[in-house]
């Protein structure tokens, strides 16, 4: 049989990260590569009780087809919880999605034509590029620094008329992959640039609740409400296997997103929605999320301390450190990742097999760029390895880097 693939299928690529994860499935390896939340944080007991309650009290409705918009009480909960982000939204603007990944896919389907210009951060979330690429957009990277996108470059690349960008995709909180956060001033400048250019924003915020010492500034959606689709997720605050996320859209756009949702999967599993709505009753999240924050903060501190021990500085250099000859790294204020840059002359893709040989793995940063990536960058997740494994893994990584440096000389 001759299967003729659609043009868009040719654009689809396997996730580089999933391919890398296969290499790292070696027994005994310390993996900083995966983007998985720590299973220690999954609320197994609360889920067990809520599942029992839903099945006992309302089992037949919970197992029936349901509304595409999502389960009413869960939509209400989402709308209410977003007031903490400075947002005033009605439950009728909330669409429950099958993970926030589906939100990215729905947005792509309704907003991108072949050749449409879309803007992304440098670097950006790989899964968003995977969702957008089959729609055949012209993906343009906006210059970015440790606070996110540069508002001046955003204005310059927004375009006008038929060439106007369809949207800019932004991750203001503890970004995947870099762990960086947009400051208050940068948010104000980005929201102003977007509003003045008539540029819609897709704001992706799966990590915003995972702050270490203080919550991040208010969302972009709170500053540019008519021009933003906001994406959220239960994956990082409850469990990713639930596949529960949500989007909040301006009322004018909502019906199209709903139609795309209906075509995709009719609705998000209603059973999962009811169980989670039950779990969330009575302020569960306010007791649960602080435990995740505390765990991730301590894991992050362990990794930062191990890096300092191995490389002799606190991330961005210090007396007697030649930054071009050392690993450098940032100090995230929340989330799951930190971002590192190898000494000059090294390449993270080439380093990976040498690191795996020493039983440690990471994701080369070049995977996260829409165009030419910085080959020296790497993403390290600090949440799934134990404190002991973090120490061993960072020591092994440092040894692999030293070996590669002496080979490069
Ligand atoms: C930035 C970002 N957006 C979206 C997602 C998708 O999350 P989910 O579909 O589990 O809600 C992820 C997952 O890691 C992510 O890092």
């Amino acid at each position: 049989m001759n299967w003729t693939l659609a043009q868009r299928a040719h654009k689809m690529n396997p996730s580089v990260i999933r391919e890398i994860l296969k290499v790292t499935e070696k027994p005994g390896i310390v993996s900083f590569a995966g983007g998985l939340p720590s299973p220690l944080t999954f609320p197994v007991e609360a889920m067990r009780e809520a599942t029992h309650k839903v099945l006992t009290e309302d089992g037949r409705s919970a197992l029936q087809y349901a509304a595409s918009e999502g389960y009413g009480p869960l939509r209400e909960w989402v709308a209410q919880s977003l007031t903490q982000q400075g947002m005033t939204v009605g439950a009728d603007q909330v669409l429950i999605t099958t993970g926030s990944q589906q939100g990215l896919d729905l947005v792509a389907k309704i907003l991108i034509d072949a050749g449409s210009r879309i803007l992304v951060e440098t670097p950006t979330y790989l899964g968003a590029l995977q969702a957008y690429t089959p729609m055949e957009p012209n993906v343009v990277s906006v210059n970015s620094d440790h606070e996110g996108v540069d508002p001046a470059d955003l204005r310059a690349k927004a375009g006008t008329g038929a060439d106007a960008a369809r949207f800019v995709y932004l991750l203001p909180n503890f970004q995947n992959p870099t762990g960086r956060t947009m400051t208050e001033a940068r948010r104000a400048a980005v929201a102003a640039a977007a509003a003045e250019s008539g540029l819609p924003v897709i704001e992706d915020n799966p990590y915003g609740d995972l702050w270490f010492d203080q919550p991040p500034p208010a969302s972009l959606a709170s500053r540019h409400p008519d021009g933003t689709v906001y994406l959220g997720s239960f994956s990082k605050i409850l469990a990713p296997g639930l596949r529960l996320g949500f989007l909040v859209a301006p009322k004018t756009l909502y019906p199209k997103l709903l139609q795309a949702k209906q075509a995709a999967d009719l609705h998000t599993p209603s059973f999962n929605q009811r169980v989670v709505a039950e779990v969330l009753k009575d302020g569960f999240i306010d007791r649960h999320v602080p435990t995740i924050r505390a765990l991730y903060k301590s894991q992050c501190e362990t990794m930062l301390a191990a890096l300092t021990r191995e490389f002799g500085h606190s991330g961005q250099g210090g007396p007697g450190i030649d930054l071009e000859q050392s690993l450098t790294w940032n100090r995230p204020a929340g989330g799951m990742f930190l971002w590192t840059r190898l000494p000059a002359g090294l390449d993270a893709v080439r380093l990976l097999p040498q690191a795996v040989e020493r039983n440690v793995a990471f994701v080369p940063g070049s995977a996260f760029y829409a165009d030419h990536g910085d080959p020296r960058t790497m993403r390290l997740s600090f949440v799934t390895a134990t404190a002991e494994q973090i120490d061993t893994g960072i020591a092994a990584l440092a040894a692999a880097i030293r070996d590669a440096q002496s080979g490069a000389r």
Side-chain angles (χ1 to χ4, degrees):
M1 180 53 76
N2 287 331
W3 298 103
T4 305
L5 288 177
Q7 287 297 325
R8 81 182 67 81
H10 289 291
K11 307 271 172 184
M12 295 173 186
N13 288 311
S15 157
V16 187
I17 298 184
R18 286 189 195 279
E19 294 302 303
I20 288 169
L21 290 182
K22 282 188 206 153
V23 182
T24 66
E25 277 162 14
K26 178 180 151 189
I29 201 153
V30 175
S31 180
F32 303 135
L36 311 180
S38 167
L40 299 176
T41 67
F42 300 160
V44 177
E45 207 37 56
M47 288 291 300
R48 194 194 323 274
E49 278 169 31
T51 305
H52 182 73
K53 191 152 184 242
V54 167
L55 284 175
T56 313
E57 292 179 3
D58 208 9
R60 292 187 192 281
S61 322
L63 294 170
Q64 186 54 285
Y65 281 120
S68 302
E69 291 87 341
Y71 180 53
L74 189 60
R75 296 170 77 206
E76 294 282 352
W77 185 92
V78 168
Q80 177 56 36
S81 75
L82 289 174
T83 53
Q84 284 169 16
Q85 312 269 347
M87 292 162 67
T88 311
V89 298
D92 58 348
Q93 289 174 264
V94 177
L95 177 61
I96 305 293
T97 53
T98 306
S100 57
Q101 187 68 27
Q102 184 178 50
L104 296 168
D105 183 62
L106 301 180
V107 158
K109 283 186 176 140
I110 72 154
L111 293 179
I112 304 176
D113 285 314
S116 304
R117 180 213 285 257
I118 62 166
L119 308 181
V120 297
E121 294 182 32
T122 319
T124 188
Y125 169 52
L126 179 66
L129 294 176
Q130 275 190 299
Y132 300 153
T133 307
M135 298 295 122
E136 305 179 65
N138 170 21
V139 183
V140 176
S141 295
V142 182
N143 297 341
S144 308
D145 60 17
H146 63 286
E147 289 184 28
V149 284
D150 168 10
D153 199 44
L154 187 62
R155 274 176 212 271
K157 290 178 174 159
T160 51
D163 192 37
R166 295 290 170 92
F167 60 79
V168 59
Y169 169 65
L170 297 173
L171 305 107
N173 297 326
F174 323 128
Q175 194 230 27
N176 181 3
T178 61
R180 71 189 173 203
T181 297
M182 263 193 207
T183 55
E184 172 70 40
R186 180 65 63 90
R187 284 172 206 239
V190 165
E196 283 158 31
S197 317
L199 175 66
V201 174
I202 309 302
E203 178 173 23
D204 191 7
N205 186 27
Y207 302 103
D209 288 314
L210 306 182
W211 44 268
F212 298 156
D213 294 319
Q214 56 185 37
S219 64
L220 295 169
S222 67
R223 301 157 205 263
H224 185 39
D226 296 337
T228 305
V229 174
Y230 176 95
L231 307 178
S233 176
F234 290 102
S235 291
K236 311 297 182 323
I237 55 170
L238 288 179
L242 292 164
R243 306 310 303 127
L244 278 188
F246 56 89
L247 63 79
V248 177
K251 286 186 179 158
T252 46
L253 205 63
Y254 190 95
K256 275 291 156 213
L257 286 161
L258 183 61
Q259 287 158 26
K261 167 76 183 164
Q262 281 164 354
D265 62 358
L266 302 182
H267 63 77
T268 297
S270 46
F271 182 66
N272 296 12
Q273 295 186 65
R274 284 180 186 245
V275 171
V276 164
E278 184 59 41
V279 167
L280 295 172
K281 267 188 192 165
D282 311 327
F284 174 82
I285 219 74
D286 299 332
R287 299 189 295 279
H288 180 61
V289 173
T291 65
I292 310 179
R293 288 181 195 133
L295 176 69
Y296 288 6
K297 180 181 175 189
S298 122
Q299 302 266 114
C300 183
E301 281 169 356
T302 302
M303 188 174 275
L304 290 169
L307 286 166
T308 297
R309 210 163 39 241
E310 293 295 335
F311 295 95
H313 63 99
S314 60
Q316 295 301 313
I321 301 288
D322 177 355
L323 279 185
E324 279 298 286
Q325 292 308 317
S326 177
L327 186 81
T328 56
W329 60 93
N330 63 353
R331 305 183 75 83
M336 300 183 3
F337 307 110
L338 63 82
W339 190 240
T340 65
R341 189 154 190 264
L342 288 165
L346 299 196
D347 176 315
V349 172
R350 282 207 298 270
L351 182 71
L352 184 62
Q354 293 162 264
V356 168
E357 241 349 49
R358 289 182 174 274
N359 281 336
V360 61
F362 55 83
V363 183
S366 49
F368 302 98
Y369 291 80
D371 35 37
H372 308 293
D374 177 348
R376 286 166 60 185
T377 52
M378 305 186 288
R379 186 191 77 176
L380 304 183
S381 159
F382 46 79
V383 304
T384 36
T386 62
E388 204 178 33
Q389 287 170 331
I390 291 176
D391 284 342
T392 325
I394 294 294
L397 182 62
I401 292 172
R402 281 193 288 270
D403 271 5
Q405 268 183 305
S406 52
R409 265 181 213 125

